[in-house]
Amino acid sequence: MSAQAFIDPPGDSRLRRLPLVTLYLTERCNSRCVTCDYWRHGRADMSLNAVRRLAPSLERLGTEVALLSGGEPLLNPEWVPIAELLRESGLKLWLLTSGLSLAKHARRAGALFQAITVSLDGTDRETYQAIRGLDALDNVCEGIRAAAAHGVAPSLRVTVQRANFRQLPRFVAMAKELGARQVSFLAVDVANPHAFGRTDDFKSDIALLPEDLPVFDQVLRTMELEHAQEFQSGFIAESPKKLRRIWEYFAAIHGQGAYPPVRCNAPEFSAVVGATGRVQPCFFISGPADVGVDLTIALNSETMTELRANIRAGKRSECKTCVCSMWRDPENIGAQTASGIFGAETSA
């Protein structure tokens, strides 16, 4: 299938297909993470009626996968009928969750979702509580096991920061013990003051310090030696080279090198719809004011097309320090979107 079937050529930022959509089912959250402010300020939920109105646009755009996120999507009282509606519309469903209530909903989630990703930021109770704000590691582990028992082995996503970077090898072992499908690692974002519901200028000591960098370098070397098989099999989603980009990111924060180069075309094949209906090109860049329920119109408004053109041209400062750059080959973007979620990760 040609690239034209999915995106238009460079210079034309109109979107005619959208293989992946992320829906923030709620701005509320039951975690208290040091990296995020949704739990402080979030109030809104996406309604079933709003998703019902959105569904025709998704069909016109050829959407294949819906990622349900938030906040904590399982807090939305209508998450089940929303998921059922999307499934009935022919979409594959992917859940991104803190896992706090996954054990309670594991049976239903196993029936509705083809993929589940659980955020897990500590391998012991003390580290988990320091980062997530709750003594809930046992609950999350129970949820991961329960989801696996009901047919959907979750992937684990670890946000690497000062409190947990020494634990990377233990995360791999823990993922195996819990029956996870895969484990992936992402640097904590400290460069964007407005991501993750942050409403004030974000200042934190969660990034690695200069004196941590040699220790982290040794941790990565140990990972490469002791977990070569897990890298080769894809159980660790990132290659050793991609994992080392996290070290480069933290080094760049302290002026010890350039930020790792970003190669991302996520806004060309996906979009994020907030709980209030606001549409944005990715997790980290805000979109224009709401323009109604027709997603095709929203994505191809003058403001949004200009925004995507600026992203493509490298004019957005957020992209230069992005921690989750994602690339899909335009020649096979739909298939890669599905494989990246339901098979091996293909993020850049």
Side-chain angles (χ1 to χ4, degrees), residues 6-7 13-20 262-272 280-285 299-300 304-305 307-312 316 319 322 324-328 333:
F6 291 99
I7 60 173
S13 287
R14 292 172 296 171
L15 285 186
R16 294 183 175 86
R17 283 184 63 85
L18 191 77
L20 170 64
V262 172
R263 189 186 189 209
C264 179
N265 61 356
E268 306 292 345
F269 65 83
S270 65
V272 176
Q280 56 192 81
C282 72
F283 290 104
F284 293 95
I285 298 178
L299 290 172
N300 292 299
M304 187 64 86
T305 53
L307 178 56
R308 280 196 303 276
N310 288 336
I311 293 170
R312 178 186 288 157
R316 295 293 302 202
C319 297
C322 183
C324 73
S325 59
M326 184 165 56
W327 177 266
R328 297 291 185 270
I333 214 165

Side-chain angles (χ1 to χ4, degrees), residues 170-247:
R170 173 60 186 147
F171 278 113
V172 178
M174 190 173 184
K176 288 186 173 182
E177 293 165 6
L178 294 173
R181 180 180 69 84
Q182 190 179 56
V183 59
S184 64
F185 300 94
L186 183 74
V188 65
D189 176 80
V190 294
N192 189 330
H194 304 297
F196 306 111
R198 300 167 186 164
T199 57
D200 305 310
D201 287 340
F202 178 71
K203 292 181 173 59
S204 177
D205 60 356
I206 56 179
L208 273 65
L209 299 177
E211 56 265 33
D212 297 323
L213 295 175
V215 182
F216 189 33
D217 177 73
Q218 187 56 52
V219 169
L220 294 177
R221 291 177 186 274
T222 300
M223 288 273 288
E224 292 177 28
L225 290 173
E226 296 184 354
H227 293 291
Q229 182 177 348
E230 286 77 12
F231 280 117
Q232 185 176 6
S233 69
F235 185 77
I236 299 175
E238 295 77 20
S239 67
K241 182 179 178 180
K242 289 180 181 178
L243 206 56
R244 189 155 287 277
R245 287 169 58 93
I246 299 177
W247 185 96

Side-chain angles (χ1 to χ4, degrees), residues 243-303:
L243 206 56
R244 189 155 287 277
R245 287 169 58 93
I246 299 177
W247 185 96
E248 295 171 357
Y249 171 82
F250 288 122
I253 289 173
H254 299 293
Q256 297 187 20
Y259 283 96
V262 172
R263 189 186 189 209
C264 179
N265 61 356
E268 306 292 345
F269 65 83
S270 65
V272 176
V273 181
T276 61
R278 190 182 190 96
V279 180
Q280 56 192 81
C282 72
F283 290 104
F284 293 95
I285 298 178
S286 181
D290 304 346
V291 291
V293 298
D294 191 310
L295 190 56
T296 307
I297 294 174
L299 290 172
N300 292 299
S301 67
E302 182 178 353
T303 305

